[in-house]
Amino acid sequence: MITILGCVINEHNIWLVLVAALVCASGSWAVICLFERAARTKGLQRAGWHFLSAVAAGAAIWCTHFIAMLAYEPGAPVSFDPVMTILSLLIAIAGAGAGFIVAASGSARIAPAFGGAIVGVAIAVMHYTGMMAYRVQGIIHWDMGYLVASVALSVSISAAAFHTTMQTSLRGRRYLAAGLFFFGIISLHFTGMTAFKVTPLLLDNGFSNPAAMQALAIAVAVVALVLVGAGLASYFIDDSARTESLDRLRHMALNDGLTGLPNRASFIDRLDHEIDLASESGRKLALIGIDLNKFKEVNDLRGHAAGDMLLRALGERLSGLTGEGEFVARTGGDEFAAIQRFVDQARLQEFLVRLEQALFEPIEVNDFVIAPGASFGVAIYPDNATSREALISNADLAMYRAKADVAHHVCYYDQSMDEVVRARRSLASDLKAALDNNELDVHYQVQTSVVTSQIRGFEALLRWNHPEHGFIPPSEFIPLAEENGLILQLGEWVLREACGRAASWEPPYKVAVNLSPAQFVHADLAKLIIEVLMSTGLPANRLELELTESTIFQDKERSFSVLRQIKALGVNIALDDFGTGYSSLDMLRSFPFDKIKLDRSFINEAEENLQAKSIIRAVLALGKSLDIPILAEGIETKGQLTLLGDEGCDEVQGYLLGRPTTFANLIETGKISLVNKGEISLPRIAHQPLEIGDDAPDVLTRSA
């Protein structure tokens, strides 16, 4: 026989005490973990975790008690009252659950300790209810001192355990709390058993079956470990799911959803980190701004789905080419950024070569192959900048210079050269403000009949008088609008302004408006024209839309389909800059244009160059044979006008006949009058940013 804390245990049953300790220890750890999870959740989730915590606690407390009781040797036959035994288990589960609810309530600072005390009481009530279920053939005596001590230990230690659990600032609190809870259960049991004394009665029916008792103990232990294991499994599964969810959210927050590359937030964090490292180590850091060359073209001609496929393919390439000290991110749209720590220029050059290969190698998207290409701007830390903002800005400046230089894909930051780019970017910002603040104006250039010298109409031309820099040439601000996505807004504004003004003219002359390639590829062009005509009240036959051969040539099948829709409205279509495009005769064969505008380049040389004169004569003859009126642009001398008259040209336009002028000046000079006197109220458009192609020519603002 062995005595532990006054409890007499058969030496053959010492392993049962160890099993009881194992069940108690694993159960205590499970209870603390599950309770912590319950305390961090709310609503039905909290109720579910409380239930699991209560079941795990009840199993641990009850099984620890009964396994240890089976190891106890009273010296007389024993049995168990089934009703009281089951009641003791229910008391353990219900009491622990009540204590957990109070401890996690947060209603007061002492709530965790108070809830833990309730759990301690439940442990004590379970133990002594279980002792009432213990039927032994002998006389039972209780030592009240040990009995009171056992209850006090259980209540105080359990209170300390759950108070510790809720101390979030305490390191290792989970281990400490589990240890305290384990000690609280064990101390209650062994101190309570020390208070328990049995005087056996001499009876003839012998002792209980030891083998059966041991088998029962093993069964109870297995059930307890299964219950505790199930609780822990739920905890770990939930913990794993939470970790996966957090990882997924973190990945979504730090990575681009389309390409999988790090996003702008990741790029900024990494750049800050790399700048700090470069500053500490004395090494150099290269920041490379990257902009795709043909992404807008793919979006406009093939749709956004094709653009997304292109970006995904490029993302896969870029994610696989980085090595140590290198980083690539998608910072937005068709823009990327790369970072590299380097010591010598050769390593940086090698990285740039890899980037070029990845972005210039052809990619098959659906049924077509495209070599996207890119422009690279490189800024070096600390040579070109000593702060993150300046480094990014300088890399962008170099990249924009690379986009403007068709001979070079890579440009390094150069302060003297990139100041020009900086000025252009500032001007682009001013252009956006001018559009928002209605600082732009439409001028009108007269179109005249050669035979009668009568006015046939006016061409609307966009002009910008900058509040600080004065008149900005269209050749300067139109490319800016194309680069910065403003060309669609400008084109729509000119169309509305010109139609609104023309609706008030008397006589009812035609008004000619140029269409940019970006406007022409826009899906809702016909719908826009209908809306403008209806809102301004201009008859469709008084609007003439001009577009170049190059605009149509980008997608001939779609272009002719759109032109037919517009012509069906009654709007006139003029082929602009005739003779300078790709396939002029094929254009005339494929679509019935209402007018051909002969390019100014032929007119400029007509008086001296026999070849130019022959081309003019051939075009005019072609127009007569097809019954299409010809308008010659750029008439600046009387000799040019006489020549065109002799050759049978229908209409002319140029400085000789009238420079582009304001709407007010047309009225003052008597070229037009107003149908309704007074100020004309014109509709304004809401300026929404729209994407266009990079290679849109200057067709909004030509002046003849």
Side-chain angles (χ1 to χ4, degrees), residues 418-567:
D418 288 323
E419 284 300 327
V420 176
V421 179
R422 195 186 302 275
R424 282 176 58 82
R425 293 178 69 181
S426 176
L427 195 63
S429 178
D430 292 345
L431 178 59
K432 178 66 168 65
L435 184 61
D436 291 336
N437 300 329
N438 295 314
E439 295 175 1
L440 303 171
D441 195 12
V442 175
H443 286 200
Y444 299 87
Q445 188 170 33
V446 67
Q447 297 174 334
T448 307
S449 170
V450 176
V451 176
T452 65
S453 298
Q454 292 181 338
I455 296 175
R456 292 288 184 85
F458 295 88
E459 181 178 7
L461 302 165
L462 182 61
R463 294 294 181 261
W464 181 21
N465 190 15
H466 194 282
E468 295 181 9
H469 305 301
F471 177 74
I472 306 294
S475 59
E476 185 173 340
F477 73 79
I478 290 299
L480 284 179
E482 293 168 347
E483 293 172 10
N484 293 275
L486 295 174
I487 193 69
L488 278 177
Q489 295 168 256
L490 288 178
E492 183 176 347
W493 187 87
V494 171
L495 181 64
R496 288 185 182 276
E497 185 81 5
C499 290
R501 294 293 187 187
S504 67
W505 291 350
E506 183 64 42
Y509 296 125
K510 288 183 179 180
V511 61
V513 180
N514 290 279
L515 286 180
S516 73
Q519 282 178 289
F520 194 68
V521 300
H522 198 266
D524 294 330
L525 179 59
K527 181 180 178 181
L528 171 66
I529 293 170
I530 294 174
E531 192 274 322
V532 169
L533 292 175
M534 293 183 65
S535 64
T536 60
L538 181 72
N541 61 1
R542 289 182 56 198
L543 174 62
E544 185 173 271
L545 297 177
E546 301 180 2
L547 68 159
T548 62
E549 297 168 77
S550 59
T551 300
I552 299 174
F553 190 79
Q554 290 183 8
D555 189 342
K556 290 173 61 177
E557 184 177 343
R558 180 187 179 281
S559 297
F560 287 134
S561 174
V562 173
L563 288 176
R564 292 187 189 97
Q565 293 178 40
I566 296 173
K567 192 171 177 63

Side-chain angles (χ1 to χ4, degrees), residues 628-702:
I628 302 177
I630 306 294
L631 183 149
E633 300 178 293
I635 311 304
E636 298 184 358
T637 67
K638 290 184 178 180
Q640 293 171 346
L641 181 60
T642 300
L643 172 64
L644 291 167
D646 294 341
E647 297 295 338
C649 184
D650 298 285
E651 298 179 22
V652 287
Q653 174 181 345
Y655 285 172
L656 178 67
L657 306 162
R659 291 177 175 270
T661 186
T662 63
F663 178 69
N665 194 49
L666 290 181
I667 299 173
E668 290 176 4
T669 56
K671 289 185 172 62
I672 63 168
S673 59
L674 299 181
V675 176
N676 297 314
K677 300 296 183 181
E679 184 66 26
I680 302 297
S681 176
L682 296 177
R684 298 296 182 183
I685 63 172
H687 305 308
Q688 301 293 332
L690 297 166
E691 292 187 347
I692 61 166
D694 289 334
D695 55 351
D698 177 5
V699 296
L700 281 181
T701 57
R702 273 184 317 92

Side-chain angles (χ1 to χ4, degrees), residues 114 123 139 170 178 182 254 258 272 280 350 361 366 441 465 470 487 503 509 543 559 578 622 644 676:
F114 186 65
I123 296 171
I139 300 172
L170 182 63
F182 169 80
L254 298 178
L258 182 63
D272 287 338
E280 294 171 3
E350 187 270 337
E361 184 179 342
N366 289 336
D441 195 12
N465 190 15
I487 193 69
Y509 296 125
L543 174 62
S559 297
F578 184 80
L622 179 65
L644 291 167
N676 297 314

Side-chain angles (χ1 to χ4, degrees), residues 35 46 50 95-108 110-119 166:
F35 172 73
R46 171 173 283 195
H50 275 322
F100 295 154
I101 292 172
V102 173
S105 66
S107 57
I110 64 168
F114 186 65
I118 294 174
V119 176
M166 300 300 287

Side-chain angles (χ1 to χ4, degrees), residues 396-411:
D396 283 346
L397 290 173
M399 183 266 291
Y400 283 114
R401 181 157 48 87
K403 286 185 73 68
D405 187 349
V406 294
H408 298 92
H409 302 307
V410 180
C411 286

Side-chain angles (χ1 to χ4, degrees), residues 553 556 560 582-591 593:
F553 190 79
K556 290 173 61 177
F560 287 134
Y582 298 93
S583 180
S584 302
L585 295 178
D586 183 58
M587 294 287 180
L588 297 179
R589 181 183 63 83
S590 302
F591 185 81
F593 290 94

